[in-house]
Amino acid sequence: MVERRGHALLGNLDGHIRPLNGPMVSSASKYDDPSSPNRYLYESGLDMDPSIDVGTPPHLPYWEWRQEPPFGQRSGLGRATGHHGELIQGVFDDAYGNDIPALVTLPCRLFASEAWIGSISPAKSTEVSVHPPNKVKAAKTLENLIERCLTTGWKMHLVITSNIPVGRGMGSSTADAIATSKAFCEGFGIHYNPNIIAEVAVASESASDSTMYEEAICLFAQRQGRILEVIGTDLPSMTIFGFDSAPDGPGVDTLSLKPQGYSESEKATFKALRGALKYAISQGDARLLGRVATCSSLVNEGRNPTPQFADISTIKRRTGAVGLQVAHSGTVVGLMYEGQGSQTLERIDKAKRLLNSIGVSNTWKFTTGRDMKKVEV
Amino acid sequence: MRQSLYTDAVKAQYLPKIIKLGPGLYGAAFTLMKTLPARKILENAVKGGMIGERTVVVETTSGTFGLGLAMECALRNIPLVLVSDPVIDDRLRNRLEDLGAQVDIVERPAPTGGFQEARLKRLEEIMDELPDHFCPRQYDNPDNPHSYAEVAELILENIGPINCLVGPVGSGGSMCGTSTYIRRLLPDMKAIGVDTFGSILFGLKPGERQLRGLGNGILPKNLDHRVFDEVHWVTRDLAYRSTRVLHQSHALYMGPTSGASYQVAQWNSDQGSGGATVALLPDEGYRYENIYADVRNARRNTRKQADLGSAPLKVEHPYMAAPEWSYMKWNRRSLSEVFN
């Protein structure tokens, strides 16, 4: 029998270990054999239920894995995209009629964070070093994960690379946290569970967006770290023309924003928005989705006003955009255009000229939805 | 929020079912529409501390709002006093009393203002007797229109960008609330109010209302005239006939206000403006069996008659509305704008 030393690694985040590529280990006798290639698993304190397939850690070639890798060679790599503000943000009722602050994030693949975790070794107390040193929130997330998933202390080094602008409401800190979590999961062979990542992200940042749920559009309670409702899987086919409405401004410290009180009339408005949002996403109706986003950004004007909002609204009207979406805790703005064809691109060119005239020069565009046509970049 | 396990019976029934009634025509069929404002008003009153342990809820009503209140109060174990007049039918009264409400009937109309005035006076007396009371005031309470945001949500979720909303107007809550919140997204949506002769809501002279359940003898604060693009006045006979058509053709067993709403929505849909028309159908037909209890060949007759009386008279001003089905373009004006 295997000698149980307690779960140095509680095995998993959600009760499952994802079988990775590599030979399957299923018999207990292999653990008992000191010459077994799996011996390092319990020698190192990574004692697991032998009935669960472990597989080869993906970052190690098979021949290296057979030879008891030292901890210095364990590492994990994770990548997470940022977002482009929200399609909608407000308070929505859950199944019990409680008002819950929630949002629907607009994911944006132009911006991403990557995390690498290396130099992993067991230690008496957990010690995380991070580069660049200002990525404190990511380091805190990693400490949270270690505390949550591993019993002993660990020493490791975290490196974050990101092109997501900070303080613009584009989810830079959440993307860092998700990339870190993914790297952690990879390094320890743990199944990546977005629910737990959401909880950890909220615990280390007090509010989070929903980019950890990569395959669903969901109404996400950003302060509780849970999904209120899964709205659908795909956005309508759109091209989003994005820019920063205050590129020279100081940005917004997301954590300093207080939870918002909404009036009865605003709460009622959010109910209508929620219904329309569900229709727009299930039917691929970009126009209605645009109206939902515009309405949500109008409500937001009373709380976190977007610089030059009136001018941007005029440009939206003049270029035939279906909607205007904003980062409700930031300064990034997106003009939403239906479709991805040449007519759309002409409209965006016009919008670009008009934006130039009000002093916004740094712009970008990206598409949403399944209707993947050739995009002129 | 769509769900299939409900915390209570009111929650299980307060949202309508959206039913397709023809090409581009939908009905939002409620079991009992007034449960929606009743719940919202009492919920917010409890949250806001206006209803405590010993508070008695008092209200004047002879219609379905009283039933909505009685259901909600029974669930919450709140004592309820309802002031009504002899118009109230015995079945409704029995049901209210079974739900634990105390029904106070005013015997005689006031010299001026009729039963409405007499009921209000009696209500004042009761409120003086009971220092710890709460009066929901469905005509003035802004929670009434707010509660209909859920209907806007349901319509938008299921039908999407609709073109026109039709519904009977009594307190103004359902039409003003639903239209306002749908228009946050669809500002061009057309709102058509259905009123009846004898009701002063849209500028007609006060009088006896033959068709009950819509219209009003007083002007509620919750009625915002600027919501409406078009106003129709329907007769009792027309409403009864189309209520039966609704049953005969669509197997929808609804009350007479639903018939009135359906008739106007069907007409509007036939005008061919395109897009979807939604009719609010406020309650089921079980309280109004007298409409259905008719001669043997009523089925053939109602169909024929409904075909005959299927076009309204267009008028330019409320004072021109003849005592037959009439309509005017209200164009989102206030009452004083229409009259000056």
Side-chain angles (χ1 to χ4, degrees), chain A residues 81-337:
Chain A
T81 58
H83 64 79
H84 205 266
E86 293 78 32
L87 288 169
I88 179 172
Q89 178 169 336
V91 289
F92 302 89
D93 51 343
D94 64 2
Y96 305 98
N98 302 314
D99 291 331
I100 314 280
L103 50 79
V104 176
T105 299
L106 174 64
C108 173
R109 300 198 175 277
L110 292 177
F111 302 97
S113 290
E114 278 182 354
W116 178 84
I117 295 174
S119 316
I120 301 172
S121 60
K124 280 200 173 144
S125 61
T126 297
E127 222 176 288
V128 171
S129 54
V130 61
H131 180 82
N134 62 347
K135 296 286 185 187
V136 186
K137 286 180 192 168
K140 204 176 158 198
T141 305
L142 187 54
E143 281 164 19
N144 265 332
L145 281 167
I146 295 170
E147 194 184 325
R148 201 184 169 104
C149 309
L150 312 174
T151 49
T152 57
W154 289 79
K155 203 178 148 189
M156 51 187 92
H157 185 60
L158 170 67
V159 179
I160 302 272
T161 324
S162 175
N163 70 341
I164 307 177
V166 177
R168 308 287 148 190
M170 300 177 80
S172 58
S173 52
T174 310
D176 291 346
I178 295 167
T180 305
S181 310
K182 282 182 170 176
F184 175 81
C185 289
E186 197 193 284
F188 285 86
I190 299 168
H191 177 72
Y192 170 74
N193 181 331
N195 294 327
I196 310 278
I197 306 305
E199 272 178 41
V200 171
V202 169
S204 35
E205 302 180 42
S206 89
S208 155
D209 57 65
S210 66
T211 38
M212 65 285 290
Y213 300 99
E214 289 168 342
E215 277 151 29
I217 300 155
C218 48
L219 189 59
F220 181 73
Q222 74 270 25
R223 290 180 184 276
Q224 300 180 346
R226 70 179 174 108
I227 292 181
L228 223 51
E229 188 177 2
V230 176
I231 308 282
T233 51
D234 286 292
L235 288 173
S237 164
M238 293 186 297
T239 308
I240 314 289
F241 181 54
F243 53 92
D244 192 338
S245 59
D248 308 321
V252 177
D253 180 9
T254 318
L255 294 187
S256 70
L257 292 172
K258 292 266 178 316
Q260 308 288 6
Y262 291 98
S263 69
E264 280 293 321
S265 152
E266 283 171 333
K267 283 182 194 170
T269 302
F270 288 128
K271 286 191 173 148
L273 291 186
R274 184 182 190 167
L277 176 79
K278 281 151 92 171
Y279 180 88
I281 288 180
S282 70
Q283 304 296 318
D285 188 335
R287 289 175 188 213
L288 192 58
L289 186 65
R291 289 184 164 180
V292 170
T294 309
C295 189
S296 181
S297 47
L298 278 168
V299 173
N300 182 59
E301 270 306 277
R303 296 179 165 72
N304 173 33
T306 304
Q308 317 199 66
F309 189 82
D311 289 340
I312 296 167
S313 298
T314 313
I315 294 173
K316 169 194 165 264
R317 225 175 16 256
R318 285 184 58 189
T319 57
V322 292
L324 167 65
Q325 59 81 218
V326 300
H328 292 65
S329 56
T331 54
V332 71
V333 178
L335 289 168
M336 304 158 73
Y337 293 88

Side-chain angles (χ1 to χ4, degrees), chain A residues 93-97 99 228-229 264-265 268-269 271-276 278-279 285 288 291-292 295, chain B residues 1-3 7 11 40 44 47 143 146 149-150 152-153 156-161 181 184-187:
Chain A
D93 51 343
D94 64 2
Y96 305 98
D99 291 331
L228 223 51
E229 188 177 2
E264 280 293 321
S265 152
T269 302
K271 286 191 173 148
L273 291 186
R274 184 182 190 167
K278 281 151 92 171
Y279 180 88
D285 188 335
L288 192 58
R291 289 184 164 180
V292 170
C295 189
Chain B
M1 181 82 212
R2 186 187 288 170
Q3 55 191 117
T7 45
K11 181 119 195 201
K40 182 83 175 175
N44 277 2
K47 263 190 213 162
D143 285 340
H146 285 159
E150 295 206 37
E153 177 184 352
L156 285 166
E157 183 187 340
N158 289 285
I159 318 175
Y181 294 113
R184 293 282 149 89
L185 288 152
L186 310 168

Side-chain angles (χ1 to χ4, degrees), chain B residues 11-273:
Chain B
K11 181 119 195 201
Q13 298 177 51
Y14 75 2
L15 283 181
K17 295 187 171 63
I18 312 264
I19 300 163
K20 188 156 186 176
L21 300 175
L25 180 63
Y26 299 84
F30 288 87
T31 305
L32 185 67
M33 187 174 80
K34 293 286 186 185
T35 47
L36 198 59
R39 160 142 299 187
K40 182 83 175 175
I41 288 171
L42 291 190
E43 199 172 71
N44 277 2
V46 170
K47 263 190 213 162
M50 283 176 286
I51 295 181
E53 298 240 326
R54 285 152 192 269
T55 309
V56 180
V57 174
V58 292
E59 179 66 302
T60 158
T61 170
S62 59
T64 50
F65 184 63
L67 185 53
L69 277 181
M71 289 168 77
E72 192 62 36
C73 285
L75 289 175
R76 293 177 182 268
N77 217 356
I78 301 171
L80 170 69
V81 178
L82 292 171
V83 182
S84 191
D85 53 44
V87 171
I88 190 169
D89 65 285
D90 284 345
R91 286 187 189 196
L92 179 62
R93 188 176 174 176
N94 287 343
R95 198 170 162 199
L96 293 173
E97 286 177 343
D98 203 38
L99 284 163
Q102 185 190 325
V103 183
D104 197 306
I105 304 281
V106 177
E107 298 297 338
R108 246 161 288 159
T112 53
F115 273 115
Q116 193 110 25
E117 193 59 41
R119 268 160 43 185
L120 285 172
K121 257 188 197 150
R122 179 74 191 118
L123 185 70
E124 293 292 328
E125 284 170 25
I126 293 173
M127 290 199 287
D128 285 342
E129 286 166 27
L130 301 165
D132 189 359
H133 64 260
F134 172 76
C135 184
R137 296 187 196 280
Q138 64 152 334
Y139 292 159
D140 310 330
N141 194 326
D143 285 340
N144 177 3
H146 285 159
S147 69
Y148 288 93
E150 295 206 37
V151 180
E153 177 184 352
L154 194 74
I155 290 173
L156 285 166
E157 183 187 340
N158 289 285
I159 318 175
I162 68 164
N163 191 37
C164 178
L165 182 74
V166 182
V169 184
S171 70
S174 60
M175 271 309 283
C176 295
T178 314
S179 303
T180 302
Y181 294 113
I182 291 180
R183 281 186 182 152
R184 293 282 149 89
L185 288 152
L186 310 168
D188 300 331
M189 188 205 68
K190 188 172 164 186
I192 302 182
V194 183
D195 194 6
T196 188
F197 298 99
S199 151
I200 65 153
L201 288 181
F202 291 96
L204 296 195
K205 286 204 178 72
E208 194 210 343
R209 277 175 287 146
Q210 289 189 315
L211 180 58
R212 306 297 300 186
L214 78 170
N216 210 327
I218 53 171
L219 210 54
K221 274 191 200 146
N222 279 332
L223 174 61
D224 181 358
H225 292 85
R226 290 165 304 173
V227 163
F228 296 92
D229 294 286
E230 207 171 288
V231 173
H232 284 243
W233 292 275
V234 295
T235 60
R236 182 190 64 180
D237 290 351
L238 180 75
Y240 283 12
R241 280 204 306 258
S242 46
T243 305
R244 299 208 63 167
V245 173
L246 200 53
H247 187 223
Q248 291 162 0
S249 312
H250 300 288
L252 254 175
Y253 192 61
M254 307 301 287
T257 55
S258 302
S261 175
Y262 164 68
Q263 177 76 37
V264 173
Q266 176 76 64
W267 177 80
N268 180 71
S269 174
D270 290 344
Q271 299 308 299
S273 54

